[in-house]
Structure formats: C-alpha cells, structure tokens
Amino acid sequence: MSGGGGEERRVKVRLLDVAHARSGDKGDTANVGVLALRPEWYELLDRELTRERVAEHFRGVIAGGVDRFALPNLGAINFLLHGALDGGGTLSLKTDAQGKVFSTALLRMVLDVPEEEARRLGLPIADGDRAR
C-alpha cells in the first residue's frame, strides 16, 4: 500500500498479541475487561477499541448496546455488553450463560495499524502481514 499517492502502509496486529482480557456476567450483561500487555500499548487500545467497533464485532451475538469505560491508570478498558446472555445465568439455555467466552471472542479482533506506529511501539505483526 505504499505508493505515490501518499498512503501510509498498514499492518495487521492481533488484539490477542497486545492485550489480555477477562469476562464474566451480571444478569443479562457480559462484562469484558481488556488490559494492555505493555503500558505503552494502552493508547493504541484506547484509540482502536471504540464502543462502535466492539458492538460491530459482536453484531448478531448480543441483543443490546455496548457501554465503554476507559481506565487509563490501569491500562485497561471495560465493556458492558447488554443483552449478551439470553436472560442471564439462571434463565439462559446458552452454553456459556456466565459470559466467560466473550473475552476470548474479543481477543480475536485484528487491528489495522500504521506500520510506522507498529514498529515504534514494538507491536507484534500478525502472520500473513509480515512487514519486518
């Protein structure tokens, strides 16, 4: 994508390679906390993990909206996924009625990052998009 048009080259970075996540439930809402693996990677996560992007990532899986809470002092972002658990642990017939799998599902997201930024931050570049 580097060309004469001034477009900056971008690389793929798996969220799994730059963050850790935990999830659980409260009623019909799944709670997903995402923590940067390195403090210098938090700013990237804060920019890329928007409420809208997370809602799109879970489109068709959750019935409600997404709330987002940035916790910069912890290098973390917390998401509430409303309508994710089909009524909650005691009412749901879902296999994962406590929402434990939502953290793993979110970590499957792939970020599209400017190559210069990826190099500067020492981000691991996803296989198949080697720019090293």
Side-chain angles (χ1 to χ4, degrees):
M1 292 175 266
S2 58
E7 294 179 28
E8 67 182 337
R9 176 155 161 64
R10 300 181 76 83
V11 294
K12 305 289 184 203
V13 175
R14 298 182 319 163
L15 185 56
L16 173 67
D17 293 332
V18 296
H20 175 72
R22 295 284 307 228
S23 58
D25 71 303
K26 192 54 126 182
D28 194 31
T29 301
N31 173 49
V32 183
V34 180
L35 296 93
L37 291 178
R38 294 187 186 169
E40 62 271 22
W41 293 349
Y42 172 74
E43 195 173 307
L44 171 75
L45 298 182
D46 189 44
R47 181 185 75 224
E48 296 291 326
L49 296 180
T50 63
R51 186 180 61 78
E52 295 79 15
R53 182 149 187 210
V54 171
E56 177 60 27
H57 188 72
F58 287 110
R59 184 170 40 100
V61 178
I62 65 173
V66 173
D67 291 327
R68 179 187 187 274
F69 303 92
L71 305 160
N73 58 326
L74 300 176
I77 304 167
N78 193 59
F79 295 95
L80 297 179
L81 311 175
H82 298 282
L85 300 173
D86 196 27
T90 58
L91 300 174
S92 178
L93 296 177
K94 285 190 170 191
T95 304
D96 180 30
Q98 283 78 40
K100 301 300 183 189
V101 77
F102 282 92
S103 58
T104 302
L106 186 56
L107 288 175
R108 294 182 59 98
M109 184 183 285
V110 176
L111 309 176
D112 190 36
V113 179
E115 181 179 25
E116 185 280 323
E117 180 181 22
R119 288 187 186 282
R120 180 174 43 82
L121 292 174
L123 299 172
I125 297 170
D127 286 341
D129 198 7
R130 296 266 180 219
R132 300 173 190 207

